[in-house]
Amino acid sequence: MKIAVVGTGYVGLVAGACFAESGNDVVCVDKDEKKIATLNDGHMPIYEPGLEEIVRRNRQEGRLSFTTDLTEAVQQSSIVFIAVGTPQGEDGSADLSHVLGVAREIARAMNGYKVIVDKSTVPVGTSDKVRAVVKAETAHPFSVVSNPEFLKQGAAVEDFMKPDRVVIGAEDRRAEEMMLELYSPFTRTGAPIMVMDCASAELAKYAANAMLATRISFMNEVANVCELVGADVDQVRKAIGSDRRIGTSFLFPGVGYGGSCFPKDVKAMMRFASEKHYDFKILQAVEAVNHCQKTRLFAKMRAHFGDMAGKTVGVWGLAFKPRTDDMREAPAIPLIDALLDAGSTVRAYDPEATKVAKGIFGDRVTFTSNNYDALKGADCLAIVTEWNEFRRPDFPRMKTLLREPIVFDGRNLFTPDQMKQHGFTYYSIGRA
Ligand code: NAD
């Protein structure tokens, strides 16, 4: 099949590469000329495990190309994906200007029947808006499909190639059949393709992210209570996770959720509910808890040191989660801001996000080329992202580098017993 994907970010680039990998001819479009030039030069504008290899192979085999020319891409394709950003607007609602702008451009470029697929995360009713925008611009026939994306950054290629499910909101049989054919290679393992109305498909994406954010905030509150009553959140987590109604995933407390999706999608869901005069109280609490949780590591440091002025803090992990370079809404940002405001010096290391972090903090933070250098002369270590390479460190070496052996672990990478044995003063989340 001939596919165009408009928007070459975490979702669009992964989707385009994976559709090419399953044998389709794919052209990826972006208005960002630098990004397209980078891709055409054989480099990756983002870090995502396994992506570079798939992009390289499919480019070489002639199934994947990159362009800024939307018109040509649309004209040579039968299915056109919209995978541009839907950032948070000023009032918390999803900003649809990119999605609708692209829909208009697609309409103007059309030269025959097209299936226009919205892959961006968009509020209920957006497929109707896309339909109206396209209809106003062209007499060519078209179908609008809603196909929300559930991939996780850090495992995006794997998630796309082996999805838990594919959700398709379709308005007619022709578009539905084309989508079923396109996705059939990805669901051979038995993952369901769920065809539904567009409103349900659009809402399913928000409900999934809101549910996951709710679990995180819930467990963070459980962890905070554990600290107050002398319980161990790891034990509590295992005890409740073994209940099949609850399950084990997404029960890890930490320093709050971040990223480009959970914060904005929770806000957008509250917003479109409130537009229908519905007060989504649980999500208000989820958001408030998350905001507080992002301040807890700094609060623990202040409780230990009293004053943070003049202290040097080594920070391990900047990205909002491991295996990505994405720092959008990353908990490291408010932590480092609080430290700098308090007069601390920050030495930070992240395996992939340093370049992005330099764009945020400039020379206010010292970025090191490995995790041990971040500890040189530091009064303590703060762990913010649970990269695997931080899990088995050389503890004696850490002790020689740190001025005092103190660790504030926002991701519970170690056990309190283990840290005691190694002679560290150790603070974590939800454990005495
Ligand atoms: P992103 O910001 O990484 O990428 C968006 C891309 O769209 C950018 O490269 C931008 O230049 C391009 N773009 C914007 N306007 C354009 C236009 N008019 N023409 C051509 N290109 C244009 O965003 P993302 O993280 O890939 O997310 C895209 C959508 O998918 C969002 O709605 C997001 O909520 C959703 N989503 C994201 C994830 C994720 O993990 N990142 C997962 C599932 C769903």
Side-chain angles (χ1 to χ4, degrees):
M1 296 175 103
K2 293 198 181 301
I3 315 284
V5 181
V6 185
T8 311
Y10 288 89
V11 168
L13 183 56
V14 170
C18 293
F19 285 137
E21 180 76 358
S22 63
N24 300 289
D25 288 324
V26 180
V27 51
C28 289
V29 186
D30 208 289
K31 65 174 182 183
D32 183 338
E33 288 176 7
K34 224 171 109 194
K35 200 174 250 189
I36 293 300
T38 303
L39 286 159
N40 279 329
D41 284 345
H43 302 298
M44 285 291 115
I46 54 166
Y47 173 72
E48 194 58 57
L51 183 61
E52 190 167 1
E53 199 187 316
I54 296 191
V55 168
R56 191 184 323 116
R57 187 173 47 246
N58 284 282
R59 271 189 80 215
Q60 268 166 11
E61 291 171 9
R63 284 192 300 269
L64 180 62
S65 61
F66 301 101
T67 183
T68 53
D69 188 342
L70 182 139
T71 303
E72 203 188 318
V74 168
Q75 289 182 353
Q76 67 189 49
S77 305
S78 51
I79 304 181
V80 185
F81 281 84
I82 304 176
V84 295
T86 45
Q88 191 181 305
E90 271 175 23
D91 57 1
S93 64
D95 175 355
L96 293 179
S97 58
H98 302 292
V99 169
L100 298 179
V102 168
R104 195 167 295 114
E105 282 185 70
I106 294 170
R108 288 179 184 159
M110 275 167 60
N111 56 346
Y113 176 75
K114 307 284 169 190
V115 177
I116 300 170
V117 187
D118 186 6
K119 203 166 227 343
S120 300
T121 301
V122 290
V124 176
T126 303
S127 55
D128 294 335
K129 289 184 182 164
V130 167
R131 204 170 289 124
V133 163
V134 175
K135 207 168 175 188
E137 297 286 340
T138 184
H140 288 293
F142 67 94
S143 305
V144 173
V145 167
S146 169
N147 171 220
E149 180 51 56
F150 295 93
L151 63 76
K152 302 183 286 295
Q153 279 175 237
V157 171
E158 208 187 318
D159 286 349
F160 200 93
M161 297 304 279
K162 294 178 200 153
D164 289 342
R165 74 323 209 169
V166 173
V167 170
I168 292 167
E171 63 182 32
D172 61 71
R173 199 73 201 134
R174 184 176 179 186
E176 182 186 324
E177 272 164 15
M178 285 169 74
M179 293 300 287
L180 291 177
E181 190 187 331
L182 177 65
Y183 272 106
S184 62
F186 301 92
T187 52
R188 274 200 205 104
T189 48
I193 303 188
M194 300 168 177
V195 181
M196 56 188 76
D197 59 279
C198 287
S200 303
E202 289 166 336
L203 191 61
K205 173 66 195 176
Y206 282 101
N209 275 358
M211 178 71 177
L212 294 168
T214 301
R215 277 176 83 110
I216 294 173
S217 277
F218 177 79
M219 278 313 288
N220 282 335
E221 292 225 277
V222 169
N224 297 342
V225 173
C226 282
E227 288 178 18
L228 295 173
V229 301
D232 178 340
V233 74
D234 278 345
Q235 304 302 333
V236 176
R237 175 177 60 76
K238 284 177 197 152
I240 65 173
S242 58
D243 184 326
R244 270 175 292 164
R245 292 168 303 175
I246 296 173
T248 52
S249 57
F250 258 79
L251 291 182
F252 292 85
V255 282
Y257 61 77
S260 66
C261 293
F262 289 178
K264 86 169 166 63
D265 292 350
V266 164
K267 274 205 175 60
M269 190 161 191
M270 282 193 282
R271 179 74 201 176
F272 65 71
S274 83
E275 277 166 11
K276 297 286 178 197
H277 311 290
Y278 188 81
D279 203 10
F280 210 136
K281 295 189 189 66
I282 287 181
L283 291 186
Q284 288 166 15
V286 165
E287 200 183 34
V289 168
N290 194 55
H291 185 72
C292 287
Q293 200 68 17
K294 287 184 174 179
T295 67
R296 281 189 80 84
L297 218 52
F298 180 71
K300 284 172 192 276
M301 288 183 204
R302 270 246 302 264
H304 177 92
F305 288 109
D307 188 0
M308 290 306 291
K311 299 289 176 207
T312 298
V313 178
V315 174
W316 283 4
L318 297 163
F320 84 92
K321 66 183 217 174
R323 294 175 292 283
T324 182
D325 59 349
D326 198 341
M327 282 196 64
R328 290 179 280 187
E329 305 261 349
I333 298 174
L335 171 67
I336 292 174
D337 278 340
L339 289 167
L340 296 175
D341 286 351
S344 304
T345 299
V346 175
R347 296 174 63 80
Y349 170 73
D350 187 282
E352 294 294 339
T354 303
K355 195 170 149 208
V356 179
K358 278 183 182 162
I360 298 170
F361 297 108
D363 55 11
R364 293 184 298 141
V365 168
T366 302
F367 297 100
T368 63
S369 53
N370 66 65
N371 52 331
Y372 294 106
D373 280 354
L375 306 182
K376 276 186 189 158
D379 294 283
C380 65
L381 162 66
I383 301 174
V384 189
T385 316
E386 67 278 32
W387 284 92
N388 270 340
E389 64 182 85
F390 301 156
R391 287 180 190 274
R392 300 268 175 276
D394 181 341
F395 290 110
R397 186 171 170 200
M398 287 169 68
K399 275 173 81 178
T400 61
L401 293 166
L402 283 164
R403 223 178 268 166
E404 282 187 80
I406 306 172
V407 173
F408 295 88
D409 182 355
R411 298 295 181 179
N412 289 0
L413 295 192
F414 316 120
T415 65
D417 279 352
Q418 175 190 22
M419 294 307 273
K420 203 170 163 190
Q421 273 169 22
H422 285 291
F424 283 85
T425 302
Y426 181 61
Y427 297 94
S428 57
I429 307 289
R431 303 180 303 184

